[in-house]
Amino acid sequence: MKIYKAILCIGAVTAMVACGGGDTTTTDPMPEKKAEKTEEKKEEAAPANPMMSLNVGDWASYTSTAGGMTTEMKNTVTAKDDMSITYDVATTMMGTTTTTSVNVPFVAPVATDVPAAVDMPTPVTTDEDVTIGDKTVKCKKMTMDTAGMVTESWTSMDVPFMTVRTITKDAAGAEVSKMELTGWGSAQ
Protein backbone atom coordinates (compact mmCIF):
# COMPACT_ATOMS: atom_id res chain seq x y z
CA MET A 1 0.00 0.00 0.00
CA LYS A 2 2.92 2.34 0.70
CA ILE A 3 4.06 2.24 -2.94
CA TYR A 4 0.61 3.42 -4.01
CA LYS A 5 0.85 6.34 -1.62
CA ALA A 6 4.26 7.14 -3.14
CA ILE A 7 2.82 6.95 -6.66
CA LEU A 8 -0.13 9.17 -5.69
CA CYS A 9 2.32 11.62 -4.09
CA ILE A 10 4.40 11.70 -7.28
CA GLY A 11 1.28 12.63 -9.24
CA ALA A 12 0.33 15.30 -6.71
CA VAL A 13 3.84 16.76 -6.67
CA THR A 14 3.97 16.73 -10.48
CA ALA A 15 0.69 18.62 -10.68
CA MET A 16 1.75 21.03 -7.94
CA VAL A 17 5.12 21.77 -9.55
CA ALA A 18 3.59 22.05 -13.03
CA CYS A 19 1.16 24.64 -11.71
CA GLY A 20 3.93 26.73 -10.12
CA GLY A 21 3.41 25.56 -6.56
CA GLY A 22 5.67 23.63 -4.29
CA ASP A 23 7.98 26.39 -3.08
CA THR A 24 6.43 26.71 0.39
CA THR A 25 8.35 24.72 2.99
CA THR A 26 8.45 24.46 6.74
CA THR A 27 10.59 22.70 9.32
CA ASP A 28 9.42 19.68 11.26
CA PRO A 29 8.20 20.90 14.68
CA MET A 30 8.89 17.52 16.33
CA PRO A 31 11.94 15.91 14.68
CA GLU A 32 12.69 13.72 17.72
CA LYS A 33 9.25 12.04 17.47
CA LYS A 34 9.84 11.43 13.77
CA ALA A 35 13.18 9.74 14.51
CA GLU A 36 11.52 7.42 17.03
CA LYS A 37 8.80 6.44 14.55
CA THR A 38 11.39 5.90 11.81
CA GLU A 39 13.28 3.40 13.96
CA GLU A 40 10.05 1.58 14.87
CA LYS A 41 8.85 1.26 11.25
CA LYS A 42 12.02 0.63 9.22
CA GLU A 43 10.54 -2.56 7.79
CA GLU A 44 7.40 -0.73 6.65
CA ALA A 45 9.23 2.19 5.03
CA ALA A 46 8.08 3.11 1.54
CA PRO A 47 10.65 2.56 -1.20
CA ALA A 48 12.67 5.50 -2.47
CA ASN A 49 10.90 7.79 -4.92
CA PRO A 50 10.39 5.60 -8.02
CA MET A 51 11.21 8.57 -10.29
CA MET A 52 14.81 8.29 -9.04
CA SER A 53 15.28 5.16 -11.19
CA LEU A 54 14.63 7.07 -14.43
CA ASN A 55 17.49 8.28 -16.63
CA VAL A 56 17.86 11.00 -19.23
CA GLY A 57 16.32 9.66 -22.45
CA ASP A 58 13.78 7.34 -20.79
CA TRP A 59 10.33 7.80 -22.31
CA ALA A 60 6.75 6.54 -22.22
CA SER A 61 3.96 7.27 -24.69
CA TYR A 62 0.23 7.19 -24.05
CA THR A 63 -3.10 7.49 -25.82
CA SER A 64 -5.92 9.16 -23.93
CA THR A 65 -9.61 9.31 -24.87
CA ALA A 66 -12.31 11.38 -23.21
CA GLY A 67 -15.45 13.00 -24.53
CA GLY A 68 -14.90 11.57 -27.99
CA MET A 69 -11.46 13.20 -28.33
CA THR A 70 -8.16 11.34 -28.58
CA THR A 71 -4.90 12.76 -27.27
CA GLU A 72 -1.39 11.37 -27.76
CA MET A 73 1.22 12.08 -25.06
CA LYS A 74 4.90 11.32 -24.72
CA ASN A 75 6.89 11.87 -21.52
CA THR A 76 10.67 12.07 -22.02
CA VAL A 77 13.26 12.59 -19.26
CA THR A 78 15.44 15.57 -20.22
CA ALA A 79 17.50 16.17 -17.05
CA LYS A 80 18.27 14.54 -13.73
CA ASP A 81 20.40 15.49 -10.74
CA ASP A 82 20.59 14.44 -7.09
CA MET A 83 17.57 16.56 -6.15
CA SER A 84 15.05 16.23 -8.99
CA ILE A 85 14.13 14.98 -12.41
CA THR A 86 12.86 17.03 -15.36
CA TYR A 87 10.78 15.62 -18.17
CA ASP A 88 8.98 17.02 -21.18
CA VAL A 89 5.35 16.16 -21.84
CA ALA A 90 4.58 16.44 -25.57
CA THR A 91 0.80 16.43 -26.06
CA THR A 92 -0.80 16.12 -29.50
CA MET A 93 -4.49 16.93 -29.85
CA MET A 94 -6.35 17.73 -33.06
CA GLY A 95 -3.07 17.80 -35.00
CA THR A 96 -1.36 20.33 -32.73
CA THR A 97 1.53 19.41 -30.43
CA THR A 98 2.43 21.36 -27.33
CA THR A 99 5.32 20.59 -24.98
CA THR A 100 5.48 21.33 -21.28
CA SER A 101 8.52 20.80 -19.09
CA VAL A 102 7.90 19.41 -15.61
CA ASN A 103 10.43 19.32 -12.76
CA VAL A 104 9.71 16.88 -9.94
CA PRO A 105 11.75 17.06 -6.72
CA PHE A 106 12.67 13.67 -5.30
CA VAL A 107 11.67 14.87 -1.83
CA ALA A 108 8.39 16.78 -1.70
CA PRO A 109 8.37 20.01 0.28
CA VAL A 110 6.10 20.18 3.31
CA ALA A 111 3.12 22.38 2.51
CA THR A 112 1.98 24.81 5.17
CA ASP A 113 -1.36 25.72 3.61
CA VAL A 114 -2.87 22.27 3.19
CA PRO A 115 -6.67 22.09 3.58
CA ALA A 116 -8.21 19.75 6.13
CA ALA A 117 -7.92 16.07 5.27
CA VAL A 118 -10.70 14.58 3.17
CA ASP A 119 -11.93 11.13 4.05
CA MET A 120 -11.14 9.10 0.92
CA PRO A 121 -12.29 5.55 0.26
CA THR A 122 -9.66 2.84 0.45
CA PRO A 123 -8.76 1.45 -2.98
CA VAL A 124 -9.09 -2.26 -3.71
CA THR A 125 -5.67 -3.52 -4.82
CA THR A 126 -4.90 -6.63 -6.89
CA ASP A 127 -2.06 -7.98 -9.04
CA GLU A 128 -2.69 -8.22 -12.77
CA ASP A 129 -0.65 -8.67 -15.96
CA VAL A 130 -1.27 -6.18 -18.78
CA THR A 131 -0.14 -6.69 -22.37
CA ILE A 132 0.96 -3.63 -24.33
CA GLY A 133 1.89 -4.51 -27.90
CA ASP A 134 4.08 -7.61 -27.66
CA LYS A 135 5.17 -6.97 -24.05
CA THR A 136 3.46 -8.09 -20.85
CA VAL A 137 4.07 -6.19 -17.62
CA LYS A 138 3.19 -7.13 -14.05
CA CYS A 139 0.97 -4.44 -12.57
CA LYS A 140 -0.71 -3.39 -9.37
CA LYS A 141 -4.34 -2.58 -10.13
CA MET A 142 -6.16 -0.15 -7.86
CA THR A 143 -9.93 0.28 -8.08
CA MET A 144 -11.59 3.18 -6.26
CA ASP A 145 -15.22 4.26 -6.18
CA THR A 146 -15.60 7.96 -5.43
CA ALA A 147 -18.97 9.66 -5.61
CA GLY A 148 -20.29 7.14 -8.13
CA MET A 149 -17.26 7.33 -10.44
CA VAL A 150 -15.12 4.19 -10.54
CA THR A 151 -11.45 4.60 -11.43
CA GLU A 152 -9.22 1.64 -12.22
CA SER A 153 -5.47 2.30 -12.38
CA TRP A 154 -2.73 -0.12 -13.38
CA THR A 155 0.83 0.79 -12.40
CA SER A 156 4.15 -0.99 -12.84
CA MET A 157 7.67 -0.35 -11.62
CA ASP A 158 8.82 -1.97 -14.92
CA VAL A 159 7.88 1.00 -17.14
CA PRO A 160 9.04 4.63 -17.01
CA PHE A 161 6.59 6.91 -15.17
CA MET A 162 4.84 3.77 -13.79
CA THR A 163 1.41 4.46 -15.34
CA VAL A 164 0.19 1.61 -17.55
CA ARG A 165 -3.56 2.25 -17.82
CA THR A 166 -6.27 4.33 -16.16
CA ILE A 167 -9.99 3.92 -16.86
CA THR A 168 -12.79 5.97 -15.31
CA LYS A 169 -16.43 4.89 -15.53
CA ASP A 170 -19.62 6.66 -14.49
CA ALA A 171 -22.25 5.26 -12.12
CA ALA A 172 -23.91 3.38 -15.01
CA GLY A 173 -20.62 1.69 -15.91
CA ALA A 174 -20.02 3.69 -19.11
CA GLU A 175 -16.41 4.59 -19.83
CA VAL A 176 -15.79 8.31 -19.31
CA SER A 177 -12.05 8.39 -19.96
CA LYS A 178 -9.15 6.06 -20.66
CA MET A 179 -5.40 6.56 -20.77
CA GLU A 180 -3.17 3.70 -21.87
CA LEU A 181 0.54 3.16 -22.30
CA THR A 182 1.39 2.57 -25.97
CA GLY A 183 5.16 2.23 -25.75
CA TRP A 184 8.25 2.91 -23.66
CA GLY A 185 12.01 2.78 -23.83
CA SER A 186 15.23 4.71 -23.53
CA ALA A 187 17.22 6.81 -25.97
CA GLN A 188 20.42 5.43 -24.42
Side-chain angles (χ1 to χ4, degrees):
M1 188 65 167
K2 297 224 181 230
I3 187 66
Y4 303 111
K5 288 181 183 177
I7 291 168
L8 291 173
C9 285
I10 289 167
V13 169
T14 300
M16 178 175 63
V17 172
C19 295
D23 57 354
T24 304
T25 60
T26 186
T27 56
D28 191 338
M30 298 175 30
E32 67 282 348
K33 295 277 187 193
K34 191 177 217 176
E36 289 173 16
K37 287 183 179 180
T38 301
E39 286 301 316
E40 292 172 8
K41 296 190 175 192
K42 273 189 178 176
E43 289 182 21
E44 295 179 27
N49 184 328
M51 297 288 269
M52 293 175 82
S53 67
L54 295 176
N55 295 302
V56 173
D58 287 352
W59 60 272
S61 58
Y62 300 90
T63 297
S64 177
T65 54
M69 296 189 70
T70 299
T71 304
E72 303 291 327
M73 296 167 287
K74 184 174 182 181
N75 298 345
T76 305
V77 178
T78 57
K80 179 182 177 182
D81 59 28
D82 292 340
M83 303 299 292
S84 66
I85 194 162
T86 302
Y87 63 95
D88 284 349
V89 180
T91 305
T92 304
M93 181 172 21
M94 296 173 56
T96 302
T97 301
T98 58
T99 301
T100 304
S101 186
V102 179
N103 180 271
V104 180
F106 291 136
V107 178
V110 177
T112 57
D113 57 349
V114 176
V118 176
D119 189 24
M120 294 293 294
T122 302
V124 175
T125 305
T126 57
D127 293 325
E128 190 173 302
D129 289 347
V130 174
T131 301
I132 304 294
D134 63 351
K135 300 176 186 174
T136 300
V137 292
K138 295 190 179 303
C139 296
K140 291 290 183 185
K141 178 185 176 189
M142 292 190 321
T143 303
M144 188 176 324
D145 186 340
T146 308
M149 298 291 279
V150 175
T151 301
E152 299 173 299
S153 297
W154 291 259
T155 58
S156 176
M157 298 295 285
D158 297 334
V159 299
F161 303 97
M162 298 163 297
T163 301
V164 175
R165 180 184 295 151
T166 301
I167 299 173
T168 301
K169 297 178 182 176
D170 63 19
E175 190 174 289
V176 175
S177 66
K178 180 177 185 176
M179 183 174 85
E180 188 163 34
L181 181 70
T182 56
W184 69 94
S186 179
Q188 298 178 344

